[in-house]
Amino acid sequence: MHKPEGVIEVLLQPGELYFSDCYTRIRTLLGSCVSVVLWHKTALLGGMCHIMLPTRRNPGKTLDGRYADEAIFMLVKEIRATGTQPSDYRVSLFGGGNMFGQLMQKNIGQQNVDAALKLLTAHGMTCHAKHVGGEGYRNLIFDVWSGHIALKHPTQQQIASRRYEACSS
């Protein structure tokens, strides 16, 4: 599918999320952070979040997209506002790289991946594809009009979506 006229491009910073229609391209750069990408093939709706940590110790009064539990809850809220259901979306997961090597005892990237997968299941969503872990950053571009996801990873050149690892239940 060709890029429609009037497409807006959104650059997600850490802790941000965006949910929109087919006139949107969403980009982000991930290290140990994780992005959940959602796409509804029929309605041509989709979204992405840029999660920094699994959860926060002292929840605040307002939701904060930096945390997996709150970001995924906010995406589900956006989905329901459109009259669609979370289970109708193709879900992909990216990021969670080990950016600090042996400097940290706990791999925050893996913790982010684990939290996201658990939360997706809790919200009735199934992860269809993932490209997570390993070393280094990932540059991610998602075209809502087609569902196409482009990923660049330093250890691999361009990776086609069909080469992502399938998520296991």
Side-chain angles (χ1 to χ4, degrees):
M1 175 180 245
H2 296 289
K3 180 179 175 182
E5 294 212 18
V7 167
I8 63 166
E9 296 207 21
V10 177
L11 176 61
L12 283 189
Q13 300 296 326
E16 293 181 340
L17 62 93
Y18 199 82
F19 187 89
S20 191
D21 62 14
C22 64
Y23 296 100
T24 310
R25 171 178 278 162
I26 309 171
R27 306 170 172 261
T28 199
L29 181 66
L30 302 166
S32 59
C33 295
V34 167
S35 277
V36 173
V37 178
L38 307 168
W39 186 58
H40 194 291
K41 183 177 183 175
T42 307
L44 296 181
L45 297 170
M48 181 191 297
C49 62
H50 187 134
I51 297 165
M52 297 173 67
L53 295 166
T55 191
R56 61 177 153 168
R57 293 181 187 181
N58 301 311
K61 293 183 180 182
T62 59
L63 294 172
D64 189 333
R66 292 180 291 178
Y67 305 98
D69 51 353
E70 297 176 47
I72 292 173
F73 177 81
M74 292 180 345
L75 280 173
V76 168
K77 191 174 174 182
E78 293 283 340
I79 288 169
R80 291 206 168 110
T82 68
T84 59
Q85 296 301 311
S87 59
D88 295 335
Y89 284 75
R90 178 173 173 79
V91 180
S92 301
L93 185 65
F94 302 92
N98 183 2
M99 301 303 292
F100 308 105
Q102 300 300 323
L103 296 176
M104 296 186 69
Q105 288 182 322
K106 296 181 180 178
N107 181 342
I108 190 65
Q110 188 58 52
Q111 291 177 38
N112 286 335
V113 170
D114 294 343
L117 289 170
K118 183 177 179 182
L119 288 160
L120 289 168
T121 300
H123 285 282
M125 294 184 274
T126 302
C127 180
H128 293 90
K130 65 182 178 178
H131 191 277
V132 297
E135 303 289 328
Y137 69 92
R138 289 169 173 85
N139 186 347
L140 186 62
I141 302 170
F142 169 48
D143 296 333
V144 178
W145 64 87
S146 65
H148 183 265
I149 299 169
L151 174 70
K152 290 185 181 178
H153 191 251
T155 59
Q156 302 166 347
Q157 290 299 319
Q158 194 75 12
I159 301 168
S161 58
R162 64 187 167 280
R163 299 177 83 193
Y164 300 143
E165 176 184 340
C167 291
S168 56
S169 299

